[in-house]
């Protein structure tokens, strides 16, 4: 059974126009140390970066409706029994979480579909794979995310999967990636070339310059222009990723990249 509760502490976003991002409880909050509120998890700065984008969008246009709509999902029964503590922790940390979704492990993907989630973020690879199999664009977050900026959201697209799509990926997942790309591109166009709170990067690990150019052209057809492009031509990704420090990495329909 899926139960969704609105956070009455903050103004709700227009779900028909917003970009709905769902995060797991384990990604947002840290381990339970017995305090009255939960500590920060690995996706804490990511959530703050999403809030920064929203704040800047509203600063540019107070009537803006293309905003990130954040949902917190938990499948842990014990945590669900402490829903008041979850909400008070959200309030304590100043997190703009718009809805809280409580479900069991067996039907958490149903909660993503019911809430029309555009992007699902988790620390659990199995969860991202399950979500992707239902056609929900998904990505992994880990301890590297804690090193990212809270003032600028940085997203890396895997150009290899864009140039050579995996035949095993279902059409719904690929379409979800294209929809999210278009939404992100429209958001990015709200800001100028400098001092943008949203940065888009494309990276190709294999192939040469032509492969990178092909990925760029494909993204542009979706309405997404990028701030940086990196053609690694077989070189390891680890070093450049440690410099870029993206909040998450996306490939067409897949649940993140492997270093």
């Amino acid at each position: 059974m899926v139960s969704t509760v609105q956070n009455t502490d903050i103004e709700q976003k227009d779900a028909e126009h917003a970009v709905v991002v769902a995060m797991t409880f384990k990604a947002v909050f840290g381990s339970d140390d017995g305090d009255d509120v939960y500590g920060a998890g690995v996706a804490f700065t990511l959530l703050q970066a999403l809030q920064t984008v929203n704040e800047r969008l509203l600063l540019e246009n107070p009537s803006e409706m293309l905003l990130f709509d954040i949902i917190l999902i938990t499948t842990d029964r014990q945590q669900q029994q402490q829903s008041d503590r979850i909400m008070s922790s959200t309030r304590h940390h100043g997190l703009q979480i718009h809805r809280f979704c409580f479900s069991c492990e067996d039907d958490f993907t149903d909660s993503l579909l019911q809430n029309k989630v555009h992007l699902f973020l988790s620390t659990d690879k199995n969860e991202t794979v399950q979500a992707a199999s239902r056609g929900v664009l998904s990505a992994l977050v880990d301890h590297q995310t804690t090193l990212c900026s809270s003032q600028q959201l940085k997203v890396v697209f895997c150009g290899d999967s864009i140039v050579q799509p995996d035949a095993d990926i279902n059409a719904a997942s690929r379409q979800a990636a294209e929809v999210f790309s278009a939404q992100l591109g429209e958001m990015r166009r709200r800001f100028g070339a400098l001092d943008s709170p949203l940065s888009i990067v494309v990276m190709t690990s294999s192939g040469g310059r032509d492969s990178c150019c092909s990925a760029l052209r494909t993204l542009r057809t979706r309405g997404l222009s990028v701030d940086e492009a990196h053609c690694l031509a077989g070189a390891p990704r680890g070093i450049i990723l440690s410099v870029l420090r993206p909040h998450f990495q996306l490939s067409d329909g897949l649940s993140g990249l492997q270093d």
Side-chain angles (χ1 to χ4, degrees), residues 39-104:
V42 297
F44 201 82
T45 57
L46 165 56
L47 182 48
Q48 290 177 319
L50 293 171
Q51 292 178 194
T52 297
V53 175
N54 279 353
E55 291 167 1
R56 289 284 301 277
L57 284 167
L58 290 171
L59 186 62
E60 295 286 333
N61 178 12
S63 61
E64 178 67 69
M65 290 188 291
L66 183 64
L67 301 162
F68 288 115
D69 185 13
I70 312 300
I71 300 176
L72 180 71
I73 292 182
T74 179
T75 59
D76 186 288
R77 183 168 298 179
Q78 182 177 356
Q79 291 168 357
Q80 292 174 0
Q81 294 173 346
Q82 299 177 332
S83 58
D84 289 342
R85 185 181 177 194
I86 294 176
M87 296 178 189
S88 63
S89 298
T90 301
R91 190 181 306 114
H92 173 80
H93 292 293
L95 301 178
Q96 298 290 305
I97 295 174
H98 303 97
R99 284 170 280 168
F100 303 93
C101 185
F102 306 99
S103 68
C104 63

Side-chain angles (χ1 to χ4, degrees), residues 133-150:
S133 70
R134 298 291 301 276
V136 180
L137 182 64
S138 307
L140 285 167
V141 292
D142 57 25
H143 67 280
Q144 295 294 331
T145 308
T146 62
L147 304 175
C148 299
S149 170
S150 62

Side-chain angles (χ1 to χ4, degrees), residues 1 17 22 43 66 86 101 126 162 188 195 211 213 229 232 246 258:
M1 182 177 179
H17 297 90
L66 183 64
I86 294 176
C101 185
N126 289 330
I162 295 171
R188 181 63 186 85
D195 191 34
S211 179
C213 290
L232 303 187
Q258 298 298 314

Side-chain angles (χ1 to χ4, degrees), residues 121-176:
L121 300 167
S122 173
T123 57
D124 188 328
K125 184 176 181 179
N126 289 330
E127 289 181 343
T128 60
V129 170
Q130 289 179 55
S133 70
R134 298 291 301 276
V136 180
L137 182 64
S138 307
L140 285 167
V141 292
D142 57 25
H143 67 280
Q144 295 294 331
T145 308
T146 62
L147 304 175
C148 299
S149 170
S150 62
Q151 297 303 306
Q152 183 186 59
L153 178 67
K154 182 168 288 189
V155 182
V156 166
F157 280 84
C158 174
D160 302 273
S161 69
I162 295 171
V163 175
Q164 295 181 326
D166 191 330
D168 294 331
I169 299 302
N170 61 59
S173 292
R174 188 167 293 116
Q175 183 180 19

